[in-house]
Amino acid sequence: MAKSKAPAAKAAAKDNGAAPKAAAQPAPNGDNKPIRNLYLVDGSGYLFRAYHALPPMNRPDGVPINAVFGFCRMLVADLLDKPEVDHIAMILDAGEVTFRNEIYDKYKANRPPPPEDLIPQFPLIREAARAFNVTVCELKGYEADDLIATYARMAVEAGATCTIVSSDKDLMQLVRPGVELMDPIKKTKLGPEAVMEKFGVTPDKVVDVQALAGDSTDNVPGVPGIGVKTAAQLINEYGDLETLLSRAGEIKQPKRREALQQNAELARISRKLVTLRDDVPTPADPDSFDKRKPDPNVLLPWLEQQGFKSLLARYTGELGEATAPVAPAAPAAKPTLPASEPKATPAAPRPKSNQPFTAADYELITDEKALDEWIAEATKAGTVAFDCETDALDAQNSGLVGVSLALLDGPWGNVNSTKRRAAYVPLGHRTPAGEAQGALDLTGDGGAKDAGSLLPGQIPLKNAIAKLKPLLEDPTVLKVGQNIKYDMCVFRQLGIEVSPVDDTMLLSFVLDAGKHNHGMDDLAKLYLGHDTIKFSDVAGSGAKQVSFDKVPIDKARDYAAEDADVTMQLWAQFKPRLAHEHMVGVYETIERPLIPVLLSMEQAGIKVDAPQLRKLSSEFEKRMLELEQELHKLAGRPFNVGSPKQLGEILFDEQKLPGGRRNKNGSWATDVSILEDLAAQGHALPVKIMEHRQIAKLKGTYTDALVRELDAKTGRVHTSYQMTGAATGRLASTDPNLQNIPVRTEEGRKIRQAFIAEAGHKLLSADYSQIELRLLAHVADIASLKEAFARGDDIHAITASEMFGVPVKGMDPLVRRRAKAINFGIIYGISAFGLANQLGIGQPEARDYIAKYFQRYPGIRDYMERTKDYARKNGFVKTPFGRKIHLKYINEKAQGMRAFAERAAINAPLQGGAADIIKKAMIKLPAALTSAKLKGRMLLQVHDELLFEVPDKEIDKTKEVARKVMEGAATLSVPLVVETGVGDNWAAAH
DNA sequence: TTCCATGCTTA
DNA sequence: GTAAGCATGGAAC
């Protein structure tokens, strides 16, 4: 089996972070700077947007001006002031009638007229562009969108990026690597993921969806009865519109099938209407769109006429007074380009690089000479993407089957001018089990991992490793991987320490946490518009699945080389964004250095007392059988005790117990809160069910699973940490999850007792005390809480005392408990509903408590409001250490979704900040222990706790080092406090 | 065989 | 009320 193409992100410039290539079309006069980033402003689209977003405003002479003002403000702040904007133009519609009216005369026929006070602003936006010396383009017979499409294509072909300043959904079809939309009001960049959200398909399929769904505002007919959702589903299923129409007969739903069959032609016409032309004659070369300084003689009088005082003051300071009186609307240095008689620029043929992923181009390296040449190229290039294929999912325990490599933009020049190369080095491919030996597989294990014999045409593993080692360890060559922790693990076992590295999965995570997942398949789809070959396509699925060493070499080449190829291309998109989006610090000081630390922890594993777990398991089993008998008796008939559905039917349909509540799909809910209510009424059955569930959980999820996960080689359990699993920056632990080992109940703690220290060692647990509340006190800057933490007081008691005006001394435990629940509630983005649930009180009472809390701590309410505002405006929140967490639904229309996003926004800086702190500590700890000459090692992380395995004699010293490093991991306006415990097992240490 | 809902464990 | 992973049953395929 190969590694999973692990988790999820967005895109821009190509090549390895260096400047993009110069424009393809030489400028007419040859003295313009090359285009790097072309910004195209959709003028009328913007005007509409600004008109509705801004309150009415008037010029001194009474002319309405709000949309123009919005335009100017945006133009200056988001485009003219931004150094990355080097070329810019505003595109306008030239007239009402376009070629689309020839296709369909009713096109845009029922557009309502624009609002009255917007009409006079249309000419003013032209004036504004001229005043700021921004080129205006328009073309008779075509829409602005067609010009935008054409210029976007030209920009990409010239190796530049193009940002379309518009949020018009019709332009979403243009999104691709190098082309993105920017919402001029929200200031958010809209990439492929936004398109996916809006249309449910990748940008290249938007027109197919629009053709089916139609558009009432533009009077695009579409197919009746089909909306965007259905259209997306159909297109995703059939691939494209034509295929769908030709196979419409296969559709099961009769209504849908008939609609498609009867309206096929309408759909085709619709597609023509919505497809933007990217080959229209261009009125000007994009090179002439270079950003220029405004002419003070034009700009200043115009600003004065509009009454834009702050802009006037600013530009007077910058450009000096106007030197000559000029009529306000005089043409600027570069006049608007004529709309008539455009010079014809036929569309250039698409370069080969726009047709990526032709597997035929991937090379297969079968001899050592070819491998030497590749390694030399990679060394010269300085950046290489690589990927391991192995015979098992578990990196700890798998054999290397092959390595793929990819390069970008190297000096070779022999591969179809694509400037991309990828190759696969097969090393351990074998014949299917037994075939060569003529033996039968009688082991009954499906042939997993049985030997087979090595196929010919492969470099001996040892030789390949010897050749790859210098490259992978070369400090001057950057190795790029997707989820590179996996590959580093594989190579570490072969004696190679891969360094230095970049990880596209982590890059995606620091850039776009919260927007989407960061697995390779998702990223390839999102950023490259490409469906990667699935593992199941080459290795089969289900019982027939084979491990990767049994995959034929040619199939393996296509699959594996693609992984490296995609990784390289993703890296080229992500890496330049890092600095641009201010994420270098988080990536380079928190995430990337954590990789080797986690790898060591995973490799260390933790010892478990397997006999003890087995004993527990059989005890649990015995008790479960007893309970089942009793339950069947109580129910009056046998039933599956583990089935919530059957249980619900017995409780509420047959026994007609009161207090039944239904789940959203109509079945009876049977969770603990329901069962507890019933138990409180004196019913026996629910009590037994609760006990059964607890034991079943412990047995199924813990005792049995942990024994199963025992590594035969080490006798220990090795978890896998997922660095991109939680958007807040927390780690996630899988296979097995060691971050949710029971601790609350006595029975549960028996599981924890089975986690033990090696002979001659103890387990040391060190956990941060109240770290999220401390962060809250810090970020919200609450003096009394900060003082309480500085004094080392009981924070929940202090909260209770300040809220209810009772002394801490002799406090009723119930009062403290309420304050504690509120403190936690605050961290989770409190609601009366949630607090009421937690405390078992009514919502009005809970509301009361919250009001009281905010009355005492108005600063916390301010912080919460500030955070929500910030999230609404930016689409993300930040931890105190700069980590961004995006909130997809923060501006969602639906109240429930939005409220959820708001609570997440409040929680994320605290939870994420705590994650940052413990990560910083973890990065420092290995070196701190080594330099103190201590042999203890870090085994596990559980969000605010670190667990170490320490030689008996080093306990005290290790405790102090751990405490010091953890408490010093960050300097806040409150102290960080770490509590420690030591024991032979985890329950005793915790 | 694959996917979803339910329920339960942790910080 | 935040953030996760996993087992199970049962429907969908």
Side-chain angles (χ1 to χ4, degrees), chain A residues 470-479 488 496-501:
Chain A
L471 172 71
L472 295 176
E473 295 186 342
D474 188 333
T476 71
V477 179
L478 180 66
K479 271 70 66 176
M488 288 167 73
I496 296 176
E497 292 293 325
V498 184
S499 168
V501 298

Side-chain angles (χ1 to χ4, degrees), chain A residues 16 111 128 456 560 757 819 923 925 943:
Chain A
N16 35 359
R111 271 257 165 121
I923 291 163
L925 268 160
H943 308 311

Side-chain angles (χ1 to χ4, degrees), chain A residues 519-532 566 570:
Chain A
M520 175 140 88
D521 296 349
D522 289 346
L523 296 180
K525 186 75 184 163
L526 220 44
Y527 292 99
L528 309 171
H530 176 69
D531 286 303
T532 48
V566 166
L570 290 174

Side-chain angles (χ1 to χ4, degrees), chain A residues 788-800:
Chain A
F789 277 126
R791 289 191 303 266
D793 285 350
D794 175 343
I795 198 68
H796 300 310
I798 291 287
T799 304

